[in-house]
Amino acid sequence: SVAFPAGAQAPAQCRAGTLYLTIDTGWGREAEQIAAILRRHGVRATLFVANEPTVTGDRSLSPGWAAFWRARAAEGHVFASHTDRHWYFRGDAGPGRVRYVSRTREGEEVLDQAGMCRELARPIERLREAAPGATVLPLWRAPGGITTPNAVRMAEACGLHHQGWTANGFLGDEVPSESQPNAALARRALATIRDGEVLVMHWGVRSRRDPYANVLEEVITGLQSRGFCFATLPPGGRR
């Protein structure tokens, strides 16, 4: 007989394959609602953390969110870096240098190798203050998924591989609900997602009027009923 690790789903339950749900920090408005849905359905995700502004008026890795992250670590979710400031990489600026620009006019900077490693390490340091036992993978994700050749190389030199998402893995929680209502996003996810996809969503998106969290349970249970299992990313990531 084959032994399975604690919490693993047997192959018969995974007849359609394995999916990798990833969650970026975001606005946090539906964070507890989303966490409860994942808990109910035994879904463990890979959480990419940045220190972003949130609905509570602080930032996502401020002390006010410490209990939230501790609870997620205790549930078996794993973590990776989404940069500290959540600025955007906007082109290379010579060998070993990359432009890093705020979308909200907070500023811009040219990062060198040491600066890049600091930017990627700082959110994990903040996380560990809140949740010392958290499992952290040697992965990172650029804000917006937007990289440059230097950003990828420099992060590799910090020991981190870039992890994006797959073609059908964009769940659409960032787009306006007026043009992309939840029912349409759910239908698309259930029709197009295939084995091995890396899915991406957020703990709430400020601009979306009908929060994606309201349809997340339908998407997860629909995928599970089709025979998909959910797993956290492996340390080397997925391409």
Side-chain angles (χ1 to χ4, degrees):
S1 66
V2 180
F4 294 97
Q9 294 165 296
Q13 296 172 268
C14 306
R15 63 189 183 278
T18 301
L19 305 176
Y20 303 89
L21 177 63
T22 68
I23 307 180
D24 293 350
T25 321
W27 184 233
R29 183 178 53 199
E30 291 83 48
E32 292 291 354
Q33 179 186 355
I34 291 166
I37 292 167
L38 301 183
R39 194 162 54 243
R40 270 198 296 280
H41 299 288
V43 174
R44 289 187 294 183
T46 305
L47 314 182
F48 286 84
V49 291
N51 200 30
E52 295 187 73
T54 72
V55 65
T56 52
D58 56 4
R59 289 182 174 264
S60 44
L61 294 170
S62 297
W65 284 87
F68 178 81
W69 299 122
R70 274 197 302 277
R72 305 294 77 77
E75 289 163 353
H77 300 287
V78 302
F79 296 82
S81 178
H82 192 35
T83 74
D84 192 44
R85 289 170 284 183
H86 201 267
W87 293 4
Y88 283 69
F89 293 98
R90 294 298 192 208
D92 294 331
R97 294 162 71 80
V98 63
R99 284 185 65 230
Y100 192 47
V101 180
S102 168
R103 268 203 319 189
T104 56
R105 302 184 183 175
E106 292 175 81
E108 70 173 85
E109 195 176 326
V110 174
L111 298 179
D112 61 10
Q113 182 64 59
M116 182 68 160
C117 290
R118 274 197 304 273
E119 182 66 26
L120 295 178
R122 188 70 183 111
I124 300 306
E125 292 165 3
R126 295 184 199 272
L127 172 72
R128 289 204 184 283
E129 290 166 11
T135 298
V136 178
L137 302 182
L139 301 173
W140 75 291
R141 173 175 289 157
I146 302 166
T147 62
T148 73
N150 280 3
V152 171
R153 275 195 297 269
M154 291 160 70
E156 291 274 357
C158 307
L160 302 179
H161 301 297
H162 189 261
Q163 178 66 61
W165 51 86
T166 52
N168 301 317
F170 181 73
L171 294 175
D173 65 341
E174 292 175 272
V175 300
S177 51
E178 294 78 7
S179 60
Q180 297 279 337
N182 280 337
L185 294 181
R187 277 197 304 273
R188 187 179 73 197
L190 295 174
T192 63
I193 286 172
R194 301 288 181 263
D195 178 32
E197 301 267 12
V198 179
L199 316 183
V200 62
M201 61 174 291
H202 302 75
W203 297 107
V205 174
R206 183 178 189 173
S207 60
R208 190 172 174 88
R209 289 189 184 171
D210 184 10
Y212 185 80
N214 293 339
V215 79
L216 177 62
E217 195 150 28
E218 177 187 335
V219 170
I220 286 175
T221 57
L223 291 168
Q224 288 177 328
S225 72
R226 283 162 168 73
F228 287 106
C229 294
F230 287 87
T232 55
L233 284 167
R238 295 277 304 182
R239 296 294 179 264

